[in-house]
Amino acid sequence: QVQLVQSGAEVKKPGASVKVSCKASGYTFTTFSIHWVRQAPGQRLEWLAWINAGNGNTKCSQNFQGRVTITSDTSATTAYMELSSLSSEDTAVYYCAREWGISHFDYWGQGSLVTVSS
Amino acid sequence: QSALTQPASVSGSPGQSITISCTGTSSDVGNYKYVSWYQQHPGKAPKLMIYEVSNRPSGIPDRFSGSKSGNTASLTISGLQAEDEADYYCSSYTTSSTRVFGEGTKLTVL
């Protein structure tokens, strides 16, 4: 069965970076894109970026230009999201999701809580 | 990219029908069939309910339906049940090849 398993919770200081992983299993990793979505406490879903796991092409939201880096390791069937220059506003649950077709996400990771606090 | 506009909350009694709107622009909702809807219960990951405006994934009951007119997409839930109480988000593909989510709507089953 398809599964996306994310890395655990992180606590970071302002100005630091965080790297979240998303381990995929149960399907051919390179056939689907992986997207990253975050949700601050009590707030809406916010789309960050995506990576084509087949060719490594990436695209990110203008809101995160220059701060987010998306990579993947096909041998490990794992995608990564690194966010730099963290502030308290980046405190959120970060989700990875598999894109099935165009722009719909059929499987989601369990979420990784990133807390930014001094 | 601004969030798609959704009502903050809607409510209905068991058995009734409700509709949630999702308004975007000609750069997203209005220009593509790639609108999807997600249900999210507290503390859980979102769940895909509708894709490509009106299609239901396997296992989603036909009480859930979607449509689109111009820059506005809609999710209708008929025969409301207690377990439908959740947050609902729309999402769309955009002309920039990015994705955008709606503001979210809290559905209360009275």
Side-chain angles (χ1 to χ4, degrees):
Chain A
Q1 71 281 21
V2 174
Q3 280 192 304
L4 299 175
V5 179
Q6 299 183 222
S7 48
E10 303 254 19
V11 179
K12 296 292 183 180
K13 292 194 182 301
S17 296
V18 68
K19 191 170 186 177
V20 180
S21 67
C22 172
K23 166 75 174 174
S25 61
Y27 71 97
T28 301
F29 181 69
T30 53
T31 304
F32 297 84
S33 295
I34 293 289
H35 290 245
W36 291 89
V37 177
R38 78 177 186 180
Q39 188 170 38
Q43 301 301 309
R44 69 175 186 92
L45 299 174
E46 183 177 21
W47 183 84
L48 274 70
W50 67 285
I51 183 166
N52 181 321
N55 60 23
N57 287 346
T58 63
K59 183 85 174 183
C60 71
S61 166
Q62 281 190 330
N63 296 338
F64 299 94
Q65 286 279 8
R67 281 216 300 144
V68 68
T69 303
I70 308 297
T71 57
S72 67
D73 179 344
T74 55
S75 63
T77 66
T78 300
Y80 303 90
M81 186 283 301
E82 184 169 20
L83 188 62
S84 62
S85 303
L86 292 170
S87 73
S88 58
E89 295 182 349
D90 294 314
T91 293
V93 174
Y94 288 76
Y95 292 101
C96 62
R98 187 182 84 161
E99 184 179 48
W100 168 53
I102 296 178
S103 198
H104 44 273
F105 311 122
D106 60 344
Y107 287 93
W108 294 67
Q110 83 278 18
S112 299
L113 175 61
V114 175
T115 302
V116 183
S117 173
S118 55
Chain B
Q1 179 77 52
S2 300
L4 305 175
T5 301
Q6 296 183 233
S9 63
V10 298
S11 62
S13 299
Q16 288 186 332
S17 295
I18 62 96
T19 297
I20 300 172
S21 61
C22 168
T23 301
T25 69
S26 57
S27 296
D28 38 64
V29 174
N31 203 26
Y32 300 100
K33 68 175 183 178
Y34 304 118
V35 176
S36 50
W37 289 90
Y38 301 86
Q39 176 191 67
Q40 187 182 34
H41 287 109
K44 301 295 187 181
K47 177 182 179 181
L48 178 66
M49 306 301 286
I50 295 287
Y51 68 96
E52 291 180 3
V53 175
S54 60
N55 295 301
R56 285 186 309 278
S58 174
I60 302 302
D62 59 7
R63 302 186 297 104
F64 292 84
S65 63
S67 62
K68 191 186 85 161
S69 177
N71 294 339
T72 299
S74 298
L75 171 70
T76 297
I77 308 174
S78 59
L80 269 180
Q81 299 181 2
E83 58 262 36
D84 298 334
E85 185 163 296
D87 293 327
Y88 290 83
Y89 293 91
C90 60
S91 175
S92 176
Y93 182 82
T94 81
T95 51
S96 304
S97 298
T98 60
R99 314 294 188 265
V100 61
F101 282 95
E103 297 165 330
T105 298
K106 181 177 180 59
L107 169 61
T108 301
V109 181
L110 302 170

